[in-house]
Amino acid sequence: MMIIVCNYLRRLSTICNYHLMFTRTMFIRSIDKSKSKNWSQQQPYNKFFVLDFEATCDDKAHLLKPQEIIEFPCILVEFSTVSRNFEVLSYFHSYVKPIIHTELTEYCSQLTGITQDMICNSPLFDEVFQNFCKWYINQVNDEDKSIIVTSGNWDLGNIFVEQCKLFPSTVKIPEFMCTWINIKKLFALTIGQYPFGIQNMLKTANLKQMGSIHNGMDDCVNIITIMNHLSQKGCIFKATNKLIDV
């Protein structure tokens, strides 16, 4: 129990440190002031929920089916016309206890940094998702236009849908989870090169990587860094994908 508590406190401290770094806007220098007003007026959304799931997995020779979400991180940002950056307003984070493959593989722990201790006493997905939805609702009002941002379509187009199927009586996919921005598509439209993933986008844009790839919170941080870079290039953050027949 002591190990679990210590691990939790270390993770909580890390998340709080992220928040401090966000509020000091340490990511990317601002876009040109003369363009910022026109740019912000063209944006179809004012709040962006940056999300990056981590899931159970094994190496290619031993693929897990089904995969299950084991980390649920989301950071809410909005573009500030004062700092000329996306600034953090709030964040949500929880580990999730899987119900099919309850023991994490060594490969999964090495890839994500998530250990068995971190998930063994964590809530199940339906409880985590209920908490997330409550948090989401508290962050938006009738005047807001919000959207989720991911790196790729796997998070909402694949693993999230499959995860919900494991809880048919307690989880229903809400409308706000059916449309999202795939930042890889906007990167390709803005930069002219379709990226392989977060690390590739950072390298292509000569941006510094924060933390570890496949750590959910770190991935969200790095996606925001990429968003700031794209905003300098005049990117319009519009929806790229939508779930149908769910």
Side-chain angles (χ1 to χ4, degrees):
M1 178 62 71
M2 180 61 69
I3 294 175
I4 295 170
V5 172
C6 289
N7 283 335
Y8 174 79
L9 291 176
R10 279 196 291 269
R11 293 299 300 170
L12 183 60
S13 175
T14 300
I15 294 168
C16 290
N17 286 337
Y18 284 149
H19 182 66
L20 289 174
M21 284 188 285
F22 287 144
T23 56
R24 293 170 186 167
T25 60
M26 295 175 64
F27 287 119
I28 306 296
R29 67 181 184 275
S30 65
I31 62 175
D32 186 88
K33 186 175 181 180
S34 63
K35 298 179 182 178
S36 62
K37 184 176 181 180
N38 181 53
W39 179 88
S40 61
Q41 288 176 343
Q42 295 179 55
Q43 297 300 324
Y45 303 98
N46 67 305
K47 288 186 176 180
F48 303 84
F49 289 82
V50 182
L51 180 151
D52 191 274
F53 294 131
E54 300 302 327
T56 55
C57 58
D58 206 346
D59 60 34
K60 293 182 179 180
H62 306 88
L63 296 178
L64 291 184
K65 291 185 179 181
Q67 287 184 280
E68 298 174 79
I69 293 171
I70 54 175
E71 185 180 10
F72 197 133
C74 186
I75 301 174
L76 169 60
V77 298
E78 70 174 357
F79 184 78
S80 169
T81 56
V82 176
S83 69
R84 320 297 184 196
N85 277 306
F86 285 99
E87 292 191 342
V88 166
L89 301 180
S90 183
Y91 60 86
F92 175 90
H93 182 271
S94 179
Y95 292 110
V96 185
K97 184 176 182 179
I99 61 173
I100 305 296
H101 302 286
T102 57
E103 296 291 326
L104 297 183
T105 64
E106 182 180 355
Y107 175 87
C108 182
S109 291
Q110 290 179 349
L111 182 70
T112 65
I114 299 172
T115 66
Q116 195 68 34
D117 287 341
M118 292 178 181
I119 65 166
C120 65
N121 289 325
S122 295
L124 300 180
F125 176 78
D126 56 350
E127 181 180 345
V128 172
F129 188 59
Q130 183 180 39
N131 292 337
F132 169 77
C133 289
K134 290 178 180 178
W135 170 77
Y136 175 92
I137 291 171
N138 287 333
Q139 308 307 316
V140 295
N141 56 50
D142 293 338
E143 297 178 355
D144 287 324
K145 294 182 179 180
S146 63
I147 192 167
I148 292 175
V149 182
T150 64
S151 176
N153 296 323
W154 177 83
D155 296 271
L156 292 185
N158 187 322
I159 186 65
F160 174 67
V161 175
E162 295 304 311
Q163 182 75 58
C164 291
K165 291 178 181 178
L166 298 178
F167 296 87
S169 62
T170 55
V171 175
K172 182 179 179 181
I173 299 177
E175 184 177 354
F176 71 83
M177 297 289 283
C178 292
T179 304
W180 67 94
I181 292 173
N182 176 356
I183 201 66
K184 291 166 67 175
K185 286 189 177 181
L186 295 191
F187 187 93
L189 289 171
T190 305
I191 306 300
Q193 175 182 330
Y194 198 88
F196 294 108
I198 294 173
Q199 204 164 31
N200 181 239
M201 285 186 280
L202 293 171
K203 184 177 181 180
T204 299
N206 196 28
L207 301 172
K208 183 179 179 180
Q209 178 180 312
M210 173 71 76
S212 303
I213 298 297
H214 295 301
N215 173 294
M217 288 298 289
D218 289 348
D219 284 348
C220 289
V221 171
N222 287 315
I223 291 171
I224 296 168
T225 300
I226 294 163
M227 291 172 65
N228 276 321
H229 178 74
L230 295 182
S231 74
Q232 295 179 50
K233 305 292 185 181
C235 176
I236 302 299
F237 290 84
K238 57 186 178 181
T240 61
N241 294 84
K242 186 177 181 66
L243 283 179
I244 56 175
D245 299 329
V246 294

